[in-house]
Amino acid sequence: AFITRSPAVMADHASLLQSVQSDMKAILRYKLGWMFLDSLNRLKRFGILKFAKSTFGKGCQATAIHSHLGNTFNQFRSNFVEIDGKISIGNLCLDEVLSTPPLRSLTHVALATYSSRGKLAINLRCEAQKFSDDEANSFLELFVNRLVKSANE
């Protein structure tokens, strides 16, 4: 929602609050939160959606997922006010972005890599029934070591 706001609206707390409130009213009134899922269900019903089985099936076919999100701040930075190198939204400052993909049925490991404010972030989520904390930490260490080795080659 903040991506579409002008820097002037972002800098003015009252304008920002009013514009967010207006958006939230429209989302609730017109039930826009369900629009994407409703569209996918309609496409599935008419046989148009070829990947419907993987989207709506009983479980995900992947046992591991790696999502690389790139530079998270570059995606929306131009519309935000920056103070001391930090993005400001109203009276709040955004220090960092954290993200981990969700674990779907039959998916045991989810990794997210992205950069934020000049730092590489790596977040790992493992299915607790399949991996102990030590195993998850070992996996993360192996992953990081391989990234470092690749960067140095």
Side-chain angles (χ1 to χ4, degrees):
F2 295 113
I3 296 170
T4 60
R5 304 231 173 1
S6 70
V9 169
M10 297 296 290
D12 180 34
H13 303 164
S15 295
L16 177 62
L17 184 59
Q18 184 179 14
S19 66
V20 170
Q21 185 180 32
S22 174
D23 286 356
M24 293 305 297
K25 283 180 180 177
I27 289 168
L28 291 172
R29 182 176 182 191
Y30 301 111
K31 298 180 171 114
L32 297 177
W34 293 102
M35 185 182 294
F36 176 72
L37 294 176
D38 287 343
S39 299
L40 288 178
N41 276 323
R42 285 190 181 113
L43 290 173
K44 178 184 172 192
R45 208 176 354 213
F46 294 116
I48 298 169
L49 193 61
K50 297 293 183 196
F51 64 92
K53 184 178 180 195
S54 64
T55 306
F56 294 102
K58 299 265 187 237
C60 180
Q61 302 297 314
T63 56
I65 296 171
H66 176 214
S67 298
H68 179 64
L69 307 174
N71 186 335
T72 55
F73 283 175
N74 279 353
Q75 296 172 21
F76 52 81
R77 167 170 261 147
S78 64
N79 290 332
F80 289 97
V81 176
E82 286 191 46
I83 299 173
D84 297 327
K86 294 181 180 179
I87 291 177
S88 295
I89 303 169
N91 62 344
L92 302 174
C93 281
L94 182 61
D95 284 329
E96 65 180 315
V97 176
L98 299 174
S99 176
T100 302
L103 286 177
R104 293 185 57 183
S105 174
L106 303 178
T107 302
H108 308 305
V109 176
L111 269 163
T113 55
Y114 52 93
S115 59
S116 175
R117 297 184 67 213
K119 297 178 189 173
L120 176 65
I122 303 170
N123 291 313
L124 171 68
R125 187 171 178 188
C126 295
E127 186 179 352
Q129 294 81 9
K130 301 275 183 193
F131 297 93
S132 68
D133 287 346
D134 289 339
E135 290 171 324
N137 288 330
S138 293
F139 176 76
L140 184 58
E141 186 177 334
L142 286 169
F143 184 80
V144 169
N145 288 340
R146 182 61 192 142
L147 281 179
V148 170
K149 183 178 178 185
S150 295
N152 291 327
E153 290 177 348

